[in-house]
Amino acid sequence: MTAAAPIRSPATPPAIVFTDWDGTVTLQDSNDYITDNLGMGHPKRMIINDKILDGTTTFRDGFREMLDSIHKPFSECIEYLLANIQLDPGFKSFYEWCQAENIPVIVISSGMKPIISALLTNLIGEDAMKNIEIVSNDVEINPNDESDWEIIYRDPESGFGHDKARSIKQYLDNHGYTTKDNTPVLFYCGDGVSDLSAAKETDLLFAKHGKDLIKYCIRESIPYTEFNDFQEILSKVQTIVKHNGDIQQFIENP
């Protein structure tokens, strides 16, 4: 006997997309970009990055050390990023399709909300700011000296600074998705170390080609499907959502 399909409210979206921002929606990681060009520079950043990857230091502490090396006014950092950070070429069409299909797109980021908001508005437009929820860290700026600023972690007790798995669970709880039967298909898109915990909370993880997240997924036996850009993600999501495609067909490490 075929199992009955889950019963969901007509208002329930067919899917929810959670996505990292830096290096996933954008081609460059904005935090790495300002660290390399306005802070300690690429060689020193890579030393810290290697310590994060081998577990010598946490992402939270390593990331703070990188950002602490930047002594430019925060507004200047944003202007620098607006002039240099590019959008994944497939993201806008992906976002527009999701809007048409009533599929929420939620940014779950280890970056800082003012930077993400500025880039989102600049790269996609004001409407995107109204429709895409941003769950991230924040920033505190000294009102007397704008070059004196620091990241404010959403989950300072977490080694990631922002526990993305917790944010996904909170989003689902807040929207009443408390059982498997009433929860839409969940996707997550990411590229790095901070995405690891979030990867376990969704039905299908999109991991960016050539980035650290794939190494972790292989090591931790976390199922994933690889992507190069959001056009590839769109194609797979459409197959699953619109054509009842089997998620398992996309898993690259079953």
Side-chain angles (χ1 to χ4, degrees):
M1 181 181 292
T2 303
I7 299 173
R8 298 190 176 108
S9 162
T12 301
I16 301 173
V17 177
F18 299 99
T19 181
D20 174 51
W21 176 259
D22 285 294
T24 301
V25 173
T26 59
L27 296 183
Q28 304 89 358
D29 184 303
S30 62
N31 304 296
D32 291 349
Y33 201 86
I34 55 174
T35 300
D36 289 353
N37 293 283
L38 304 178
M40 64 175 60
H42 182 76
K44 289 183 179 179
R45 179 176 67 79
M46 291 310 298
I47 291 172
I48 296 174
N49 193 66
D50 288 342
K51 290 180 180 179
I52 294 171
L53 290 175
D54 67 21
T56 305
T57 190
T58 63
F59 178 87
R60 176 197 61 209
D61 294 344
F63 189 37
R64 183 184 294 280
E65 185 178 350
M66 294 176 192
L67 296 178
D68 283 349
S69 73
I70 302 167
H71 303 293
K72 297 287 186 181
F74 192 72
S75 61
E76 187 175 321
C77 294
I78 289 181
E79 290 301 319
Y80 188 76
L81 293 171
L82 291 176
N84 290 283
I85 300 299
Q86 300 166 297
L87 187 71
D88 179 289
F91 183 76
K92 188 171 184 180
S93 58
F94 173 81
Y95 157 70
E96 290 171 346
W97 180 82
C98 287
Q99 282 291 292
E101 296 295 329
N102 188 37
I103 297 175
V105 177
I106 318 299
V107 170
I108 306 285
S109 173
S110 291
M112 293 167 280
K113 192 168 186 177
I115 288 177
I116 299 168
S117 299
L119 287 169
L120 184 59
T121 301
N122 184 59
L123 294 170
I124 309 175
E126 290 285 351
D127 284 346
M129 269 301 299
K130 299 173 186 174
N131 297 320
I132 297 178
E133 183 175 342
I134 300 171
V135 184
S136 66
N137 300 310
D138 213 326
V139 64
E140 184 173 75
I141 305 170
N142 183 338
N144 299 314
D145 180 6
E146 205 198 346
S147 64
D148 179 16
W149 55 268
E150 65 174 335
I151 188 169
I152 303 299
Y153 284 119
R154 185 178 182 88
D155 302 299
E157 75 286 353
S158 165
F160 290 111
H162 177 191
D163 185 336
K164 294 186 175 185
R166 181 186 300 176
S167 289
I168 290 175
K169 291 175 184 175
Q170 287 175 343
Y171 178 91
L172 296 175
D173 287 346
N174 291 344
H175 289 78
Y177 303 127
T178 55
T179 69
K180 188 171 181 62
D181 284 347
N182 82 338
T183 301
V185 180
L186 305 178
F187 299 104
Y188 187 85
C189 315
D191 73 323
V193 178
S194 67
D195 298 310
L196 191 60
S197 66
K200 300 177 182 179
E201 302 301 322
T202 56
D203 297 302
L204 182 62
L205 165 68
F206 291 95
K208 195 162 190 178
H209 173 76
K211 300 297 183 178
D212 293 330
L213 181 56
I214 289 180
K215 300 174 188 175
Y216 271 79
C217 287
I218 294 171
R219 191 178 78 184
E220 302 292 331
S221 299
I222 297 172
Y224 72 93
T225 186
E226 190 172 307
F227 77 97
N228 287 287
D229 58 43
F230 268 85
Q231 194 60 46
E232 293 182 7
I233 294 177
L234 174 59
S235 177
K236 292 179 181 180
V237 170
Q238 286 176 329
T239 298
I240 294 165
V241 172
K242 299 292 286 183
H243 306 293
N244 297 315
D246 184 1
I247 285 176
Q248 293 303 312
Q249 70 181 296
F250 297 117
I251 301 297
E252 300 191 25
N253 59 333

